[in-house]
């Protein structure tokens, strides 16, 4: 009997976990997020694919991949929204001493710029380069011969027509057996441009940081194939001095997809440097794996 009373008394003095103690949040740690959209308005937050979130009240989410505003009712997203698809990486031959030329800009295969700048890699021994732009199904074309490896769209030439399909050609001059570089691009139509503009206005009104806004815009541009704009918005943040490792990581991905290994490698290395200093093991691991993938892709 004394033994039973002793045990009962001991239990009475043991601390009982309260609801407050059980609900105390754990120390915040880095999380892996595959973004699909952003809650718009004063309660703005990024929405990650497959991760639960506490949505309180009736909200709206802008879906990056479709540019739709999707209602959130009772904590549930009312329409399916998937992550923006990754693109297949381009495999390029190296010029710089060879007889083939690689087009650099415009990046991607879709354009919203009506007067894009055209750039390409140099070819050893080339005295000049012949640049030609022609529209499919019409008589529109123009050509210029320049000594540099960049050409601004001529001001005396009509701009690209929304909805038009164009071929850009660059041919080295003065090089025997030189290879012509060719790329087909689509100038987005007016309806698609308006849809993109509307999404950009919505995202720019959320009051998030400059880095977060750049990551939002990058997702929108990439979902529409506008890699030129995608890379541009990331470069703007880097030139502004950002130390956001995710910016560098994503820029590395875009360069890798475009086939520019050295540019991608530099961004991944910078990601590793910054993420190490900021104790971000997930982003560091992603960059390290991307470097390995880059080397494997380069192996014949």
């Amino acid at each position: 009997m004394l033994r039973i009373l002793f045990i009962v008394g001991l239990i009475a003095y043991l601390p009982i976990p309260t609801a407050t103690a059980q609900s105390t949040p754990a120390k915040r740690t880095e999380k892996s997020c595959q973004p699909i959209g952003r809650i718009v308005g004063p309660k703005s937050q990024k929405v990650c694919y497959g991760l639960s979130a506490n949505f309180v009240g009736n909200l709206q989410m802008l879906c990056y991949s479709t540019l739709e505003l999707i209602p959130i009712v009772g904590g549930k997203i009312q329409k399916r929204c998937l992550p923006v698809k990754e693109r297949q990486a381009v495999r390029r031959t190296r010029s710089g001493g060879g007889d083939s030329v690689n087009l650099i800009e415009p990046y991607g295969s879709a354009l919203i710029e009506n007067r894009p700048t055209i750039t390409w890699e140099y070819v050893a021994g080339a005295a000049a380069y012949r640049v030609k732009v022609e529209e499919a199904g019409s008589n529109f074309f123009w050509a210029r011969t320049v000594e540099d490896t960049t050409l601004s769209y001529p001001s005396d030439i009509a701009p690209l027509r929304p909805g038009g399909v164009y071929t850009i050609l660059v041919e080295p001059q003065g090089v025997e057996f030189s290879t012509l570089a060719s790329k087909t691009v689509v100038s987005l139509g007016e309806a698609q441009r308006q849809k993109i503009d509307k999404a950009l206005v919505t995202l720019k009104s959320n009051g998030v940081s400059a880095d977060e806004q750049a990551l939002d815009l990058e997702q929108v541009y990439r979902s529409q194939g506008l890699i030129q704009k995608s890379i541009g918005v990331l470069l703007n943040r880097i030139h502004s001095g950002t130390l956001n490792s995710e910016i560098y990581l994503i820029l590395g991905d875009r360069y890798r997809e475009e086939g520019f290994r050295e540019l991608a490698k530099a961004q991944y290395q910078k990601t590793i440097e910054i993420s190490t200093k900021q104790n971000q093991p997930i982003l560091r691991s992603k960059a390290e794996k991307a470097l390995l993938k880059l080397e494997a892709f380069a192996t014949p």
Side-chain angles (χ1 to χ4, degrees), residues 155-174:
S155 59
D156 60 333
I157 299 295
L160 302 184
R161 178 182 61 82
V165 179
Y166 296 87
T167 300
I168 302 172
L169 304 103
V170 177
E171 183 178 17
Q173 305 290 295

Side-chain angles (χ1 to χ4, degrees), residues 212-226:
E212 281 299 306
Q213 185 177 104
L215 291 170
D216 283 339
L217 302 188
E218 191 279 331
Q219 288 278 344
V220 168
Y221 288 137
R222 183 161 56 94
S223 74
Q224 304 304 302
L226 297 171

Side-chain angles (χ1 to χ4, degrees), residues 138-284:
S138 79
N139 295 323
F140 174 85
F141 76 91
W142 59 265
R144 293 286 190 276
T145 300
V146 296
E147 296 181 359
D148 203 354
T149 56
T150 185
L151 175 64
S152 298
Y153 198 98
S155 59
D156 60 333
I157 299 295
L160 302 184
R161 178 182 61 82
V165 179
Y166 296 87
T167 300
I168 302 172
L169 304 103
V170 177
E171 183 178 17
Q173 305 290 295
V175 180
E176 191 175 6
F177 307 119
S178 64
T179 301
L180 180 76
S182 174
K183 177 181 231 180
T184 299
V185 296
V186 177
S187 179
L188 295 188
E190 287 294 351
Q192 195 169 2
R193 290 168 185 251
Q194 291 174 11
K195 189 175 182 180
I196 293 169
D197 288 342
K198 186 177 180 180
L200 297 180
V201 169
T202 299
L203 289 172
K204 289 178 180 179
S205 64
N206 280 307
V208 300
S209 70
D211 283 346
E212 281 299 306
Q213 185 177 104
L215 291 170
D216 283 339
L217 302 188
E218 191 279 331
Q219 288 278 344
V220 168
Y221 288 137
R222 183 161 56 94
S223 74
Q224 304 304 302
L226 297 171
I227 308 307
Q228 183 75 21
K229 298 291 288 185
S230 171
I231 289 176
V233 75
L234 297 173
L235 283 175
N236 285 342
R237 291 306 306 147
I238 289 174
H239 294 158
S240 297
T242 183
L243 292 177
N244 187 311
S245 54
E246 190 174 2
I247 297 279
Y248 289 90
L249 177 66
I250 294 177
L251 181 58
D253 289 341
R254 299 294 83 79
Y255 281 142
R256 175 181 57 80
E257 292 165 354
E258 286 294 300
F260 297 108
R261 292 181 61 256
E262 293 304 315
L263 291 174
K265 183 178 180 180
Q267 305 310 315
Y268 291 144
Q269 290 173 336
K270 187 67 175 179
T271 303
I272 293 172
E273 175 189 332
I274 296 174
S275 60
T276 299
K277 292 179 180 178
Q278 297 180 353
N279 191 26
Q280 298 171 314
I282 293 177
L283 287 171
R284 178 188 171 97

Side-chain angles (χ1 to χ4, degrees), residues 66-191:
T66 64
L67 306 189
E68 293 179 275
L69 278 174
I70 301 176
I72 299 177
V73 181
K76 294 184 179 180
I77 301 173
Q78 299 299 298
K79 192 174 181 180
R80 194 179 188 197
C81 176
L82 297 175
V84 178
K85 290 183 179 180
E86 294 292 328
R87 298 179 305 128
Q88 185 69 32
V90 175
R91 187 182 293 275
R92 296 181 184 270
T93 57
R94 183 166 179 80
S95 58
D99 56 7
S100 63
V101 58
N102 281 322
L103 271 169
I104 301 177
E105 295 183 74
Y107 297 109
S109 58
L111 292 177
I112 204 168
E113 300 87 351
N114 293 327
R115 295 179 178 274
T117 296
I118 303 169
T119 64
W120 55 93
E121 293 180 343
Y122 85 99
V123 174
Y129 302 89
R130 179 71 170 173
V131 182
K132 184 178 181 181
V133 175
E134 53 189 21
E135 182 180 7
S138 79
N139 295 323
F140 174 85
F141 76 91
W142 59 265
R144 293 286 190 276
T145 300
V146 296
E147 296 181 359
D148 203 354
T149 56
T150 185
L151 175 64
S152 298
Y153 198 98
S155 59
D156 60 333
I157 299 295
L160 302 184
R161 178 182 61 82
V165 179
Y166 296 87
T167 300
I168 302 172
L169 304 103
V170 177
E171 183 178 17
Q173 305 290 295
V175 180
E176 191 175 6
F177 307 119
S178 64
T179 301
L180 180 76
S182 174
K183 177 181 231 180
T184 299
V185 296
V186 177
S187 179
L188 295 188
E190 287 294 351

